[in-house]
Amino acid sequence: EVQLVESGGALIKPGGSLRISCTASGFSFSNAWMSWVRQAPGKGLEWVGRINTKTDGETTDYAAPVKGRFTISRDDSKNTLYLQMNSLKTEDTAVYFCATSVKVVAFDYWGQGTLVTVSS
Amino acid sequence: DIVMTQSPDSLAVSLGERATINCKSSQSLLYSSNNKNYLAWFQQKPGQSPKLLIYWASTRESGVPDRFSGSGSGTDFTLTISSLQAEDVAVYYCQQYYGIPRTFGQGTKVEIK
């Protein structure tokens, strides 16, 4: 069974940093392109960024609002995806989901999300 | 960036009736080399993560009831629920996977009338 489990969400002051994780099981993590998607309270879905596989160079892409502040990385030995968030702003407050495409090209698997709250 | 615009923002439909949600993209999502539209539909119920319903604009994900169908090509797409059930109350999102950044529509809330 495919599972994605996010962790590490917390209450952080503006300007602070936080790293959240997504641990995967049930599929070949090392061969999967992984994404982060966030959802602010009561709002819609916003793609944050993605990382491709080691074979593809572990290249990353980011949405404009987070570029230069957020970094996506992966540890295939631990089947874990990371999102390092620096210079956090109040508008980064959201539930952060990891998502991937296992059987089909669209996001067919999502984690349950982890809440990041940026507030003084 | 490709902008995805859904309409309406919300709709109320009687049980057993048809619900139709539209999604328009700011540029074509049809990739000429494979003749596929890079468009997906998701359902999100309160407190849950999104669930994939449709990909390639019209291919139903495994396990999704056949009352859900997707249609359209290029820049105009539609998600249809042929006979609304109580468990279909949710917010529905379209998303393009043609370009980077991936972008979602703003969501359409479906309720029971």
Side-chain angles (χ1 to χ4, degrees):
Chain A
E1 179 193 7
V2 172
Q3 278 201 310
L4 297 171
V5 180
E6 300 93 337
S7 61
L11 171 61
I12 297 291
K13 287 183 166 44
S17 296
L18 182 69
R19 187 179 80 162
I20 59 176
S21 304
C22 167
T23 302
S25 60
F27 66 101
S28 177
F29 179 78
S30 61
N31 290 326
W33 292 38
M34 300 296 298
S35 286
W36 287 100
V37 177
R38 68 184 180 181
Q39 186 169 38
K43 302 298 184 182
L45 301 168
E46 179 185 26
W47 181 83
V48 172
R50 71 172 182 187
I51 186 167
N52 60 21
T53 65
K54 188 172 185 176
T55 303
D56 295 319
E58 287 191 13
T59 304
T60 52
D61 294 289
Y62 299 95
V66 308
K67 197 168 186 178
R69 299 187 299 123
F70 288 13
T71 302
I72 298 172
S73 62
R74 63 192 300 156
D75 185 338
D76 291 344
S77 69
K78 296 181 179 178
N79 281 1
T80 301
L81 174 74
Y82 300 103
L83 179 64
Q84 176 68 44
M85 300 179 285
N86 298 331
S87 303
L88 281 161
K89 306 175 181 180
T90 55
E91 54 262 42
D92 294 319
T93 294
V95 173
Y96 286 75
F97 299 98
C98 59
T100 190
S101 310
V102 174
K103 304 189 309 294
V104 302
V105 69
F107 294 145
D108 51 357
Y109 288 95
W110 296 66
Q112 85 290 347
T114 189
L115 177 61
V116 174
T117 303
V118 184
S119 174
S120 54
Chain B
D1 297 3
I2 300 174
V3 178
M4 307 298 291
T5 304
Q6 292 181 226
S7 62
D9 290 333
S10 65
L11 75 161
V13 175
S14 300
L15 288 171
E17 295 301 304
R18 179 184 299 260
T20 301
I21 301 169
N22 300 301
C23 175
K24 189 174 184 66
S25 58
S26 61
Q27 66 184 73
S28 177
L29 304 182
L30 179 62
Y31 194 42
S32 56
S33 67
N34 58 11
N35 202 38
K36 289 183 180 293
N37 288 282
Y38 285 56
L39 188 282
W41 288 97
F42 296 89
Q43 174 194 65
Q44 188 179 32
K45 297 181 179 180
Q48 295 185 15
S49 52
K51 173 188 174 184
L52 178 66
L53 297 176
I54 302 283
Y55 58 98
W56 295 137
S58 60
T59 302
R60 200 178 302 114
E61 168 69 327
S62 176
V64 173
D66 61 6
R67 63 180 180 274
F68 290 93
S69 63
S71 62
S73 183
T75 62
D76 292 281
F77 303 91
T78 300
L79 174 70
T80 301
I81 309 172
S82 61
S83 175
L84 191 75
Q85 305 300 303
E87 61 264 34
D88 302 333
V89 169
V91 179
Y92 293 83
Y93 296 93
C94 60
Q95 182 235 334
Q96 63 81 17
Y97 47 98
Y98 185 96
I100 293 294
R102 303 293 193 235
T103 46
F104 292 86
Q106 79 276 17
T108 296
K109 187 174 185 179
V110 174
E111 300 172 307
I112 305 294
K113 185 187 291 184

